[in-house]
PDB file of all heavy atoms in Angstrom:
ATOM      1  N   PRO A 137     -75.927 -62.006 -16.710  1.00  0.00           N
ATOM      2  CA  PRO A 137     -76.078 -61.894 -18.177  1.00  0.00           C
ATOM      3  C   PRO A 137     -76.194 -60.443 -18.719  1.00  0.00           C
ATOM      4  O   PRO A 137     -75.801 -60.174 -19.869  1.00  0.00           O
ATOM      5  CB  PRO A 137     -77.411 -62.625 -18.445  1.00  0.00           C
ATOM      6  CG  PRO A 137     -77.920 -63.123 -17.149  1.00  0.00           C
ATOM      7  CD  PRO A 137     -76.955 -62.783 -16.071  1.00  0.00           C
ATOM      8  N   ALA A 138     -76.620 -59.499 -17.829  1.00  0.00           N
ATOM      9  CA  ALA A 138     -76.853 -58.136 -18.298  1.00  0.00           C
ATOM     10  C   ALA A 138     -75.532 -57.471 -18.815  1.00  0.00           C
ATOM     11  O   ALA A 138     -75.561 -56.560 -19.598  1.00  0.00           O
ATOM     12  CB  ALA A 138     -77.386 -57.291 -17.166  1.00  0.00           C
ATOM     13  N   ILE A 139     -74.402 -57.936 -18.321  1.00  0.00           N
ATOM     14  CA  ILE A 139     -73.170 -57.253 -18.681  1.00  0.00           C
ATOM     15  C   ILE A 139     -72.241 -58.067 -19.554  1.00  0.00           C
ATOM     16  O   ILE A 139     -71.121 -57.684 -19.853  1.00  0.00           O
ATOM     17  CB  ILE A 139     -72.386 -56.775 -17.452  1.00  0.00           C
ATOM     18  CG1 ILE A 139     -71.950 -57.925 -16.507  1.00  0.00           C
ATOM     19  CG2 ILE A 139     -73.227 -55.807 -16.590  1.00  0.00           C
ATOM     20  CD1 ILE A 139     -70.910 -57.564 -15.540  1.00  0.00           C
ATOM     21  N   ILE A 140     -72.739 -59.200 -20.072  1.00  0.00           N
ATOM     22  CA  ILE A 140     -71.861 -60.074 -20.883  1.00  0.00           C
ATOM     23  C   ILE A 140     -72.189 -59.878 -22.353  1.00  0.00           C
ATOM     24  O   ILE A 140     -73.293 -60.174 -22.841  1.00  0.00           O
ATOM     25  CB  ILE A 140     -71.994 -61.540 -20.488  1.00  0.00           C
ATOM     26  CG1 ILE A 140     -71.596 -61.732 -19.059  1.00  0.00           C
ATOM     27  CG2 ILE A 140     -71.118 -62.426 -21.358  1.00  0.00           C
ATOM     28  CD1 ILE A 140     -71.781 -63.094 -18.457  1.00  0.00           C
ATOM     29  N   ALA A 141     -71.252 -59.356 -23.123  1.00  0.00           N
ATOM     30  CA  ALA A 141     -71.389 -59.209 -24.621  1.00  0.00           C
ATOM     31  C   ALA A 141     -70.965 -60.540 -25.217  1.00  0.00           C
ATOM     32  O   ALA A 141     -70.201 -61.260 -24.631  1.00  0.00           O
ATOM     33  CB  ALA A 141     -70.536 -58.098 -25.105  1.00  0.00           C
ATOM     34  N   PRO A 142     -71.470 -60.823 -26.445  1.00  0.00           N
ATOM     35  CA  PRO A 142     -71.090 -62.079 -27.062  1.00  0.00           C
ATOM     36  C   PRO A 142     -69.591 -62.320 -27.082  1.00  0.00           C
ATOM     37  O   PRO A 142     -69.134 -63.404 -26.823  1.00  0.00           O
ATOM     38  CB  PRO A 142     -71.658 -61.991 -28.474  1.00  0.00           C
ATOM     39  CG  PRO A 142     -72.857 -61.054 -28.298  1.00  0.00           C
ATOM     40  CD  PRO A 142     -72.465 -60.071 -27.233  1.00  0.00           C
ATOM     41  N   VAL A 143     -68.845 -61.273 -27.277  1.00  0.00           N
ATOM     42  CA  VAL A 143     -67.387 -61.401 -27.393  1.00  0.00           C
ATOM     43  C   VAL A 143     -66.733 -61.796 -26.063  1.00  0.00           C
ATOM     44  O   VAL A 143     -65.629 -62.272 -26.049  1.00  0.00           O
ATOM     45  CB  VAL A 143     -66.762 -60.093 -28.003  1.00  0.00           C
ATOM     46  CG1 VAL A 143     -66.799 -58.973 -26.994  1.00  0.00           C
ATOM     47  CG2 VAL A 143     -65.359 -60.335 -28.509  1.00  0.00           C
ATOM     48  N   ASN A 144     -67.442 -61.504 -24.968  1.00  0.00           N
ATOM     49  CA  ASN A 144     -66.929 -61.854 -23.646  1.00  0.00           C
ATOM     50  C   ASN A 144     -67.041 -63.309 -23.260  1.00  0.00           C
ATOM     51  O   ASN A 144     -66.482 -63.777 -22.250  1.00  0.00           O
ATOM     52  CB  ASN A 144     -67.611 -61.052 -22.562  1.00  0.00           C
ATOM     53  CG  ASN A 144     -67.278 -59.565 -22.613  1.00  0.00           C
ATOM     54  OD1 ASN A 144     -68.172 -58.736 -22.428  1.00  0.00           O
ATOM     55  ND2 ASN A 144     -66.067 -59.211 -22.877  1.00  0.00           N
ATOM     56  N   GLU A 145     -67.891 -64.018 -24.017  1.00  0.00           N
ATOM     57  CA  GLU A 145     -68.177 -65.386 -23.608  1.00  0.00           C
ATOM     58  C   GLU A 145     -66.920 -66.307 -23.811  1.00  0.00           C
ATOM     59  O   GLU A 145     -66.252 -66.165 -24.795  1.00  0.00           O
ATOM     60  CB  GLU A 145     -69.318 -65.964 -24.429  1.00  0.00           C
ATOM     61  CG  GLU A 145     -70.687 -65.455 -23.955  1.00  0.00           C
ATOM     62  CD  GLU A 145     -71.761 -65.753 -24.957  1.00  0.00           C
ATOM     63  OE1 GLU A 145     -71.577 -66.634 -25.857  1.00  0.00           O
ATOM     64  OE2 GLU A 145     -72.843 -65.168 -24.789  1.00  0.00           O
ATOM     65  N   THR A 146     -66.636 -67.143 -22.840  1.00  0.00           N
ATOM     66  CA  THR A 146     -65.628 -68.075 -23.078  1.00  0.00           C
ATOM     67  C   THR A 146     -66.076 -69.401 -22.541  1.00  0.00           C
ATOM     68  O   THR A 146     -66.686 -69.522 -21.442  1.00  0.00           O
ATOM     69  CB  THR A 146     -64.273 -67.716 -22.444  1.00  0.00           C
ATOM     70  OG1 THR A 146     -63.554 -68.879 -22.085  1.00  0.00           O
ATOM     71  CG2 THR A 146     -64.380 -66.873 -21.213  1.00  0.00           C
ATOM     72  N   GLU A 147     -65.801 -70.464 -23.317  1.00  0.00           N
ATOM     73  CA  GLU A 147     -66.223 -71.787 -22.922  1.00  0.00           C
ATOM     74  C   GLU A 147     -65.304 -72.358 -21.871  1.00  0.00           C
ATOM     75  O   GLU A 147     -65.519 -73.476 -21.342  1.00  0.00           O
ATOM     76  CB  GLU A 147     -66.256 -72.728 -24.164  1.00  0.00           C
ATOM     77  CG  GLU A 147     -64.950 -73.120 -24.767  1.00  0.00           C
ATOM     78  CD  GLU A 147     -64.266 -72.017 -25.578  1.00  0.00           C
ATOM     79  OE1 GLU A 147     -64.743 -70.861 -25.647  1.00  0.00           O
ATOM     80  OE2 GLU A 147     -63.173 -72.287 -26.125  1.00  0.00           O
ATOM     81  N   ASN A 148     -64.326 -71.592 -21.403  1.00  0.00           N
ATOM     82  CA  ASN A 148     -63.355 -72.039 -20.431  1.00  0.00           C
ATOM     83  C   ASN A 148     -63.844 -71.787 -19.021  1.00  0.00           C
ATOM     84  O   ASN A 148     -63.120 -72.190 -18.087  1.00  0.00           O
ATOM     85  CB  ASN A 148     -62.032 -71.436 -20.638  1.00  0.00           C
ATOM     86  CG  ASN A 148     -61.336 -71.948 -21.894  1.00  0.00           C
ATOM     87  OD1 ASN A 148     -61.451 -73.152 -22.119  1.00  0.00           O
ATOM     88  ND2 ASN A 148     -60.747 -71.126 -22.665  1.00  0.00           N
ATOM     89  N   VAL A 149     -64.978 -71.098 -18.794  1.00  0.00           N
ATOM     90  CA  VAL A 149     -65.418 -70.851 -17.394  1.00  0.00           C
ATOM     91  C   VAL A 149     -66.535 -71.794 -17.064  1.00  0.00           C
ATOM     92  O   VAL A 149     -67.500 -71.925 -17.800  1.00  0.00           O
ATOM     93  CB  VAL A 149     -65.836 -69.387 -17.177  1.00  0.00           C
ATOM     94  CG1 VAL A 149     -66.338 -69.169 -15.764  1.00  0.00           C
ATOM     95  CG2 VAL A 149     -64.665 -68.431 -17.494  1.00  0.00           C
ATOM     96  N   ILE A 150     -66.399 -72.459 -15.919  1.00  0.00           N
ATOM     97  CA  ILE A 150     -67.432 -73.395 -15.460  1.00  0.00           C
ATOM     98  C   ILE A 150     -68.076 -72.755 -14.237  1.00  0.00           C
ATOM     99  O   ILE A 150     -67.363 -72.481 -13.243  1.00  0.00           O
ATOM    100  CB  ILE A 150     -66.775 -74.768 -15.028  1.00  0.00           C
ATOM    101  CG1 ILE A 150     -65.978 -75.315 -16.246  1.00  0.00           C
ATOM    102  CG2 ILE A 150     -67.829 -75.702 -14.485  1.00  0.00           C
ATOM    103  CD1 ILE A 150     -64.839 -76.190 -15.750  1.00  0.00           C
ATOM    104  N   PHE A 151     -69.398 -72.515 -14.271  1.00  0.00           N
ATOM    105  CA  PHE A 151     -70.055 -71.948 -13.121  1.00  0.00           C
ATOM    106  C   PHE A 151     -70.647 -73.045 -12.240  1.00  0.00           C
ATOM    107  O   PHE A 151     -71.384 -73.905 -12.676  1.00  0.00           O
ATOM    108  CB  PHE A 151     -71.168 -70.990 -13.557  1.00  0.00           C
ATOM    109  CG  PHE A 151     -70.681 -69.761 -14.078  1.00  0.00           C
ATOM    110  CD1 PHE A 151     -70.581 -69.485 -15.468  1.00  0.00           C
ATOM    111  CD2 PHE A 151     -70.258 -68.733 -13.246  1.00  0.00           C
ATOM    112  CE1 PHE A 151     -70.030 -68.288 -15.966  1.00  0.00           C
ATOM    113  CE2 PHE A 151     -69.725 -67.526 -13.700  1.00  0.00           C
ATOM    114  CZ  PHE A 151     -69.620 -67.322 -15.068  1.00  0.00           C
ATOM    115  N   LEU A 152     -70.325 -72.996 -10.936  1.00  0.00           N
ATOM    116  CA  LEU A 152     -70.824 -73.998  -9.998  1.00  0.00           C
ATOM    117  C   LEU A 152     -71.659 -73.293  -8.934  1.00  0.00           C
ATOM    118  O   LEU A 152     -71.492 -72.147  -8.661  1.00  0.00           O
ATOM    119  CB  LEU A 152     -69.653 -74.696  -9.280  1.00  0.00           C
ATOM    120  CG  LEU A 152     -68.708 -75.479 -10.222  1.00  0.00           C
ATOM    121  CD1 LEU A 152     -67.622 -76.100  -9.376  1.00  0.00           C
ATOM    122  CD2 LEU A 152     -69.421 -76.545 -10.989  1.00  0.00           C
ATOM    123  N   PRO A 153     -72.584 -74.045  -8.298  1.00  0.00           N
ATOM    124  CA  PRO A 153     -73.312 -73.487  -7.202  1.00  0.00           C
ATOM    125  C   PRO A 153     -72.352 -73.082  -6.029  1.00  0.00           C
ATOM    126  O   PRO A 153     -71.389 -73.748  -5.758  1.00  0.00           O
ATOM    127  CB  PRO A 153     -74.316 -74.567  -6.736  1.00  0.00           C
ATOM    128  CG  PRO A 153     -73.944 -75.716  -7.479  1.00  0.00           C
ATOM    129  CD  PRO A 153     -72.971 -75.438  -8.563  1.00  0.00           C
ATOM    130  N   PHE A 154     -72.665 -71.952  -5.362  1.00  0.00           N
ATOM    131  CA  PHE A 154     -71.831 -71.403  -4.302  1.00  0.00           C
ATOM    132  C   PHE A 154     -71.980 -72.333  -3.076  1.00  0.00           C
ATOM    133  O   PHE A 154     -73.006 -72.802  -2.751  1.00  0.00           O
ATOM    134  CB  PHE A 154     -72.384 -70.046  -4.017  1.00  0.00           C
ATOM    135  CG  PHE A 154     -71.481 -69.126  -3.219  1.00  0.00           C
ATOM    136  CD1 PHE A 154     -70.258 -68.726  -3.713  1.00  0.00           C
ATOM    137  CD2 PHE A 154     -71.895 -68.551  -1.972  1.00  0.00           C
ATOM    138  CE1 PHE A 154     -69.439 -67.829  -3.024  1.00  0.00           C
ATOM    139  CE2 PHE A 154     -71.097 -67.670  -1.314  1.00  0.00           C
ATOM    140  CZ  PHE A 154     -69.865 -67.277  -1.792  1.00  0.00           C
ATOM    141  N   ASN A 155     -70.828 -72.551  -2.401  1.00  0.00           N
ATOM    142  CA  ASN A 155     -70.839 -73.373  -1.140  1.00  0.00           C
ATOM    143  C   ASN A 155     -71.252 -74.836  -1.339  1.00  0.00           C
ATOM    144  O   ASN A 155     -71.674 -75.483  -0.406  1.00  0.00           O
ATOM    145  CB  ASN A 155     -71.722 -72.710  -0.075  1.00  0.00           C
ATOM    146  CG  ASN A 155     -71.099 -71.588   0.627  1.00  0.00           C
ATOM    147  OD1 ASN A 155     -69.837 -71.449   0.611  1.00  0.00           O
ATOM    148  ND2 ASN A 155     -71.860 -70.680   1.213  1.00  0.00           N
ATOM    149  N   ASP A 156     -71.080 -75.317  -2.596  1.00  0.00           N
ATOM    150  CA  ASP A 156     -71.454 -76.756  -2.823  1.00  0.00           C
ATOM    151  C   ASP A 156     -70.153 -77.588  -3.046  1.00  0.00           C
ATOM    152  O   ASP A 156     -69.598 -77.613  -4.167  1.00  0.00           O
ATOM    153  CB  ASP A 156     -72.370 -76.788  -4.113  1.00  0.00           C
ATOM    154  CG  ASP A 156     -72.902 -78.210  -4.337  1.00  0.00           C
ATOM    155  OD1 ASP A 156     -72.238 -79.193  -3.994  1.00  0.00           O
ATOM    156  OD2 ASP A 156     -73.984 -78.277  -4.977  1.00  0.00           O
ATOM    157  N   GLU A 157     -69.751 -78.256  -1.991  1.00  0.00           N
ATOM    158  CA  GLU A 157     -68.473 -79.020  -2.096  1.00  0.00           C
ATOM    159  C   GLU A 157     -68.457 -80.187  -2.998  1.00  0.00           C
ATOM    160  O   GLU A 157     -67.497 -80.460  -3.704  1.00  0.00           O
ATOM    161  CB  GLU A 157     -68.056 -79.421  -0.615  1.00  0.00           C
ATOM    162  CG  GLU A 157     -67.710 -78.205   0.190  1.00  0.00           C
ATOM    163  CD  GLU A 157     -67.526 -78.461   1.664  1.00  0.00           C
ATOM    164  OE1 GLU A 157     -67.087 -79.538   2.042  1.00  0.00           O
ATOM    165  OE2 GLU A 157     -67.842 -77.554   2.472  1.00  0.00           O
ATOM    166  N   ALA A 158     -69.604 -80.871  -3.047  1.00  0.00           N
ATOM    167  CA  ALA A 158     -69.724 -82.085  -3.928  1.00  0.00           C
ATOM    168  C   ALA A 158     -69.593 -81.655  -5.400  1.00  0.00           C
ATOM    169  O   ALA A 158     -68.851 -82.294  -6.211  1.00  0.00           O
ATOM    170  CB  ALA A 158     -71.008 -82.764  -3.624  1.00  0.00           C
ATOM    171  N   ALA A 159     -70.204 -80.537  -5.768  1.00  0.00           N
ATOM    172  CA  ALA A 159     -70.192 -80.086  -7.193  1.00  0.00           C
ATOM    173  C   ALA A 159     -68.734 -79.638  -7.486  1.00  0.00           C
ATOM    174  O   ALA A 159     -68.209 -79.880  -8.653  1.00  0.00           O
ATOM    175  CB  ALA A 159     -71.135 -78.858  -7.351  1.00  0.00           C
ATOM    176  N   LEU A 160     -68.052 -79.093  -6.544  1.00  0.00           N
ATOM    177  CA  LEU A 160     -66.646 -78.678  -6.751  1.00  0.00           C
ATOM    178  C   LEU A 160     -65.764 -79.842  -6.973  1.00  0.00           C
ATOM    179  O   LEU A 160     -64.958 -79.905  -7.901  1.00  0.00           O
ATOM    180  CB  LEU A 160     -66.199 -77.894  -5.551  1.00  0.00           C
ATOM    181  CG  LEU A 160     -64.858 -77.161  -5.640  1.00  0.00           C
ATOM    182  CD1 LEU A 160     -64.899 -76.052  -6.656  1.00  0.00           C
ATOM    183  CD2 LEU A 160     -64.462 -76.530  -4.260  1.00  0.00           C
TER     184      LEU A 160
END
Side-chain angles (χ1 to χ4, degrees):
I139 63 166
I140 300 175
V143 73
N144 293 137
E145 282 169 14
T146 151
E147 70 286 2
N148 288 321
V149 179
I150 303 150
F151 285 100
L152 300 179
F154 198 60
N155 281 337
D156 184 334
E157 291 169 33
L160 188 66

